[in-house]
Amino acid sequence: MRSIGVGVIGAGVMGAEHARLIACEVSGAHLAAVADADLARAEAAAQGGRTMADPEALIADPAVEAVLVASPDATHQRLVLAAIAAGKPVLCEKPLAVSTDECLEIVAAEARAGRRLVQTGFNRRFDPAYREMKAIMDDEALGGVRILHCQHRNVAAPAWFTGAMAVTNSLVHEIDICRWLLSTEYSAVTVIPSPAGDPVLFVFETEAGSLVSVEVFMNAAYGYHVHAEAVCVKGTIAMAHPAPIRIRRDGAQEGRFPENWIPRFRDAYRIQNQAWVDGIRAGTPPADGSTAWDGLVATCLADQVVAAMATRQRIPLTLPPRPC
Ligand code: ISE
């Protein structure tokens, strides 16, 4: 089968990693071009390939058969709509768009196109640890999940981070992965910030009856650490310690944490991008990939959780009607 020409938009941390994955680690695809307003940055990411400043030109380029959007969040909707209009499959980094209305326009445009063109880049759905947890949960040998406990710790919030971004930028991953793991929707949320404001504890209730607790800590200092443990009727399913190596010395054992999410989720990004390319080649998008609707759900719920953070009240969570 022929190789798919992928154009990557955005050459920041994530765009550069996606360009590297497409060029070096994903089979059945090649890096056709990289677009970034900063051409030097595009060139650094392009692995010797073509670069351009204008993302719309990249989408229109005949050598680009599929588009990977990793530009700033506020540009996502415009670029995803342009890819749909060009009839090109698009993998968009989370969030799909910055408001529910913007996401609804994407869902409607994809429906008008008459085929699935959009995948939202919730990479954790392809992480081997989360996938194994889901397989064990779905097997039901341990009974239903009563509580899913999650920790999401970053070393330090970037200078440009706002309080709401702990939800829209970080918690949004748990919003997506936990409804996928539990095959349910959320019914309510309660938000309890620590006295210092960071970490924040979020408790979700789900339609299936399980609870989801998430600690988001933006300034955990010691390392990047994402963890989940499902407390089931007959046992628990917990991720192993995420440090890839152990050092033993002086009568003690030490594990090292990565500085950010890229080393922790490198396999997840590679498997996600490979599944996206395989889906394009086979004409069948990956079954577990996050759809445009899933992207809408995450953005829509994140907005409601931000509102709940301000009131500290338990609030019911709702979704707009799903277009047929
Ligand atoms: C970042 O944008 C990501 O997507 C990471 O996966 C997440 O862990 C981090 O908290 C976000 O800031």
Side-chain angles (χ1 to χ4, degrees), residues 93-94 123-124 152 154 161 169-170 173 218 224 226 261 265 269:
E93 261 298 331
K94 61 83 195 168
N123 60 302
R124 292 189 188 181
H152 186 160
N154 292 266
F161 231 72
N169 200 269
S170 296
H173 280 290
M218 294 310 306
Y224 181 79
V226 164
W261 55 92
F265 286 112
Y269 286 115

Side-chain angles (χ1 to χ4, degrees), residues 15-34:
E17 176 65 2
H18 281 300
R20 188 192 69 76
L21 287 169
I22 296 294
C24 307
E25 298 203 27
V26 169
S27 62
H30 58 274
L31 187 59
V34 174

Side-chain angles (χ1 to χ4, degrees), residues 25-96:
E25 298 203 27
V26 169
S27 62
H30 58 274
L31 187 59
V34 174
D36 195 292
D38 178 343
L39 271 179
R41 203 161 76 149
E43 266 154 36
Q47 318 274 331
R50 291 168 60 219
T51 57
M52 47 192 89
D54 178 7
E56 317 268 354
L58 177 140
I59 293 169
D61 193 301
V64 171
E65 296 161 277
V67 181
L68 204 159
V69 176
S71 48
D73 297 357
T75 64
H76 287 187
Q77 194 229 21
R78 176 172 57 85
L79 299 171
V80 171
L81 287 177
I84 295 172
K88 298 187 180 180
V90 52
L91 171 58
C92 180
E93 261 298 331
K94 61 83 195 168
L96 178 60

Side-chain angles (χ1 to χ4, degrees), residues 72-125:
D73 297 357
T75 64
H76 287 187
Q77 194 229 21
R78 176 172 57 85
L79 299 171
V80 171
L81 287 177
I84 295 172
K88 298 187 180 180
V90 52
L91 171 58
C92 180
E93 261 298 331
K94 61 83 195 168
L96 178 60
V98 294
S99 73
T100 308
D101 285 348
E102 281 194 4
C103 292
L104 272 171
E105 277 183 53
I106 293 175
V107 169
E110 188 188 45
R112 279 195 303 274
R115 63 190 173 111
R116 261 195 60 196
L117 288 168
V118 181
Q119 186 172 327
T120 308
F122 280 118
N123 60 302
R124 292 189 188 181
R125 292 185 181 212

Side-chain angles (χ1 to χ4, degrees), residues 160-222:
W160 43 267
F161 231 72
T162 63
M165 287 176 91
V167 176
T168 57
N169 200 269
S170 296
L171 177 75
V172 74
H173 280 290
E174 274 79 14
I175 292 179
D176 181 72
I177 197 69
C178 295
R179 63 186 275 276
W180 178 76
L181 282 172
L182 298 168
S183 307
T184 186
E185 296 296 353
Y186 304 104
S187 49
V189 69
T190 307
V191 187
I192 309 164
S194 64
D198 181 40
V200 180
L201 188 62
F202 302 86
V203 180
F204 291 88
E205 296 159 56
T206 71
E207 289 175 0
S210 14
L211 295 178
V212 175
S213 75
V214 188
E215 171 207 309
V216 174
F217 195 179
M218 294 310 306
N219 296 284
Y222 70 87

